[in-house]
Amino acid sequence: ASRSSLENTYNWTITDGGGLGPELITNGDGSSTIGWGVAYSNTTLSVNNNNLRATANASGAYGLSQLLSLDTSKQYLIKTTINVDSASGGTANLRIATSLNLASDVTTLSTTTGTSTTIFTPSASTMYIGVVDTADNSSNFVEIDNVSVKEYFE
C-alpha cells in the first residue's frame, strides 16, 4: 500500500517523514487521576487547573506514575509538560522506568519545569512514566500535563 493509503487507513499524523501510532496514555490531559497511580505511599493525587498533581503527605519520596505496555523493538515519541516549581529545591524527575516507583532501569527525561519531547526505545515491555521527588515537607508538589506516548514510525 502507498504511504497515503496507510495514512488514511491508520489515521497517522505525519511528522518529519515519520508517523505516529495511537495514544498510549490514559488521561494525559490532566483532567482526571484515572489511569495514574502513586509511585510512593507518601502521595496524594489530585487535579488542579487541568494538571495532574502529586502532593507529598510528609517529607520523603513521593510521585505519580502510569503503566505502559511497549514493544522493545519499536521507538516511541514522548511529549510531556511538568511543573516542578513547588518540588523540593524546585526540581524533580520526569522519568520512564521499569518499576512503579520509577527507581529501576531509569531514563530521566527532564528535571525542570517545561515541556520535553523525546524519542525513546524501551528496555522492557512493561514500563512506567511519571514524576518523582523527595519532599522536604507536605508543602511540596509536582504537576504533569499534556502527557503523550505514541509509537514513532520513521
Side-chain angles (χ1 to χ4, degrees), residues 47-107:
V47 174
N48 182 55
N49 295 322
N50 265 355
N51 291 300
L52 184 60
R53 178 179 284 188
T55 303
N57 297 327
S59 62
Y62 73 103
L64 59 93
S65 64
Q66 184 169 134
L67 172 70
L68 295 171
S69 294
L70 305 175
D71 184 329
T72 57
S73 69
K74 298 180 179 178
Q75 292 184 313
Y76 295 86
L77 181 69
I78 301 172
K79 291 184 179 181
T80 306
T81 301
I82 60 171
N83 178 346
V84 297
D85 293 344
S86 294
S88 173
T91 183
N93 294 288
L94 170 62
R95 292 179 174 170
I96 190 162
T98 57
S99 60
L100 175 71
N101 66 358
L102 304 171
S104 299
D105 195 14
V106 172
T107 298

Side-chain angles (χ1 to χ4, degrees), residues 7-154:
E7 289 170 13
N8 292 335
T9 302
Y10 296 103
N11 195 25
W12 290 339
T13 303
I14 302 303
T15 308
D16 298 328
L20 299 175
E23 182 59 63
L24 300 177
I25 291 288
T26 302
N27 291 316
D29 64 357
S31 64
S32 171
T33 61
I34 294 172
W36 294 92
V38 297
Y40 294 91
S41 59
N42 186 37
T43 308
T44 299
L45 294 183
S46 62
V47 174
N48 182 55
N49 295 322
N50 265 355
N51 291 300
L52 184 60
R53 178 179 284 188
T55 303
N57 297 327
S59 62
Y62 73 103
L64 59 93
S65 64
Q66 184 169 134
L67 172 70
L68 295 171
S69 294
L70 305 175
D71 184 329
T72 57
S73 69
K74 298 180 179 178
Q75 292 184 313
Y76 295 86
L77 181 69
I78 301 172
K79 291 184 179 181
T80 306
T81 301
I82 60 171
N83 178 346
V84 297
D85 293 344
S86 294
S88 173
T91 183
N93 294 288
L94 170 62
R95 292 179 174 170
I96 190 162
T98 57
S99 60
L100 175 71
N101 66 358
L102 304 171
S104 299
D105 195 14
V106 172
T107 298
T108 299
L109 305 173
S110 180
T111 58
T112 59
T113 294
T115 300
S116 67
T117 302
T118 305
I119 295 176
F120 176 77
T121 302
S123 61
S125 58
T126 299
M127 300 204 75
Y128 296 83
I129 189 170
V131 183
V132 291
D133 181 35
T134 301
D136 295 326
N137 57 55
S138 61
S139 68
N140 294 137
F141 65 87
V142 294
E143 293 180 331
I144 192 167
D145 192 20
N146 301 316
V147 185
S148 177
V149 177
K150 296 180 180 182
E151 184 181 347
Y152 177 75
F153 307 99
E154 294 190 70

